Amino acid sequence: MSGIGEWLETAREQRWGILTDLAFAIVWVTLVDLLFRLVEGPTWAYYLMMLAGVAAYYAFVWNLDLAREWRE
């Protein structure tokens, strides 16, 4: 049971990071899905845009860290 307790403690410490990750993922997937429903793009481009979400996520986090550093 200590594994679960450790996980919960880590989750409590990182809750805003976890929520930010989840929100970004939900928004990215929703926008890409809506875009491809509207334009009826090819499947390979759909998957490429989903994969581009990984790079977009890291760019988002990097910029968020820069903004926090600048603020301090």
Side-chain angles (χ1 to χ4, degrees):
M1 284 291 200
S2 67
I4 293 173
E6 290 174 18
W7 183 87
L8 284 174
E9 184 63 31
T10 302
R12 285 185 185 117
E13 291 172 2
Q14 302 294 326
R15 70 176 170 259
W16 293 117
I18 292 170
L19 290 175
T20 302
D21 297 348
L22 179 62
F24 183 88
I26 291 171
V27 169
W28 184 267
V29 170
T30 302
L31 289 176
V32 169
D33 190 59
L34 289 174
L35 175 68
F36 276 83
R37 284 177 190 251
L38 289 174
V39 299
E40 298 178 3
T43 304
W44 63 267
Y46 175 79
Y47 289 120
L48 189 62
M49 287 295 293
M50 288 295 184
L51 187 59
V54 175
Y57 168 77
Y58 283 107
F60 170 73
V61 170
W62 179 60
N63 283 317
L64 193 59
D65 288 341
L66 287 176
R68 285 181 182 150
E69 288 176 14
W70 181 77
R71 186 175 173 197
E72 294 172 356

